[in-house]
Amino acid sequence: DAGITQSPRHKVTETGTPVTLRCHQTENHRYMYWYRQDPGHGLRLIHYSYGVKDTDKGEVSDGYSVSRSKTEDFLLTLESATSSQTSVYFCAISLSGTTDTQYFGPGTRLTVL
Amino acid sequence: DQQVKQNSPSLSVQEGRISILNCDYTNSMFDYFLWYKKYPAEGPTFLISISSIKDKNEDGRFTVFLNKSAKHLSLHIVPSQPGDSAVYFCAASAKFAGNTGKLIFGQGTTLQVKP
């Protein structure tokens, strides 16, 4: 199994509060991704990173920001959580991006009340 | 605008029989396709992939077929086992277009294999 951990694994928060999810990898992979999974939509890319301090938007990036100050950590921040951001969030890693399979973490279930 | 579609939300098959999961795509730039399997409360795990230069790829009980003209791919599982019961996602990428590996996923198909 790829060495990917996500924290927290579960979180309940209230509308309007900031939330940060953490993805940590021990594989030294260059590429990291954040997805959300919702019924009827599969997994959708939020943001991704192709190196330290190098990030770009995915297809559902509104309301989210990311940061990557170290190779091993990729943070996803909801600046002001909304109920529409209730979802399961998955982090994924890839060695080279274009030529390798992505490997996923165990997920974080976020509920925004 | 769903570029990757799995039109069957669920599929039920008997143990030992063949399971066929289908996936359609609309973007002709996609050149790499993957199947992931997901158990409840776990992350997706990679199952099998296929490049657009091939029309078939096989790995043990799993075979993926690609029909580029129809923009259709399918995953065959033979023989199906109860442990195969999971949600299956197909995903597509414009891998050779330098898109940094961004994957577009289908909605998923829940497979139930009955003993």
Side-chain angles (χ1 to χ4, degrees):
Chain A
D1 288 345
I4 312 169
T5 56
Q6 293 185 231
S7 58
R9 294 294 312 278
H10 302 272
K11 186 169 182 67
V12 179
T13 190
E14 294 189 350
T15 298
T17 59
V19 176
T20 295
L21 309 182
R22 180 184 184 231
C23 176
H24 179 78
Q25 59 144 330
T26 57
E27 307 296 319
N28 202 35
H29 282 16
R30 179 182 174 192
Y31 287 81
M32 299 184 75
Y33 308 82
W34 276 108
Y35 292 88
R36 60 178 287 174
Q37 185 198 359
D38 303 289
H41 291 279
L43 288 89
R44 291 179 293 175
L45 182 65
I46 304 171
H47 281 280
Y48 67 99
S49 170
Y50 47 95
V52 173
K53 294 194 167 79
D54 293 323
T55 65
D56 204 351
K57 295 179 180 180
E59 59 181 311
V60 288
S61 59
D62 287 349
Y64 301 95
S65 62
V66 290
S67 65
R68 191 168 178 201
S69 58
K70 297 185 289 185
T71 298
E72 57 266 36
D73 289 324
F74 191 33
L75 304 181
L76 177 71
T77 297
L78 291 67
E79 299 290 347
S80 177
T82 67
S83 58
S84 64
Q85 294 175 312
T86 292
S87 187
V88 181
Y89 292 85
F90 290 101
C91 172
I93 64 173
S94 173
L95 181 60
S96 66
T98 57
T99 59
D100 283 301
T101 301
Q102 292 180 25
Y103 296 93
F104 284 80
T108 294
R109 180 172 293 277
L110 175 67
T111 302
V112 183
L113 301 175
Chain B
D1 180 20
Q2 192 87 22
Q3 297 185 70
V4 179
K5 295 183 182 180
Q6 294 175 256
N7 292 315
S8 297
S10 62
L11 175 67
S12 181
V13 300
Q14 210 65 34
E15 181 179 6
R17 306 295 289 268
I18 184 172
S19 295
I20 300 176
L21 296 95
N22 294 303
C23 181
D24 297 297
Y25 62 96
T26 57
N27 190 339
S28 58
M29 291 294 291
F30 290 147
D31 50 23
Y32 190 61
F33 304 89
L34 308 90
W35 284 93
Y36 282 83
K37 174 179 171 180
K38 186 184 178 306
Y39 292 119
E42 295 184 10
T45 55
F46 169 73
L47 198 55
I48 193 169
S49 63
I50 188 167
S51 165
S52 59
I53 62 175
K54 295 185 175 181
D55 54 19
K56 176 183 173 182
N57 189 27
E58 194 170 354
D59 184 1
R61 296 186 297 115
F62 302 92
T63 302
V64 57
F65 295 92
L66 176 62
N67 182 334
K68 290 185 290 295
S69 61
K71 293 191 178 66
H72 177 84
L73 64 154
S74 61
L75 174 69
H76 293 210
I77 307 174
V78 184
S80 301
Q81 300 172 354
D84 295 329
S85 297
V87 179
Y88 289 79
F89 292 100
C90 69
S93 172
K95 171 177 165 178
F96 298 107
N99 78 334
T100 63
K102 289 185 284 186
L103 295 178
I104 305 297
F105 282 84
Q107 308 96 309
T109 296
T110 300
L111 173 65
Q112 182 184 28
V113 180
K114 298 180 178 178

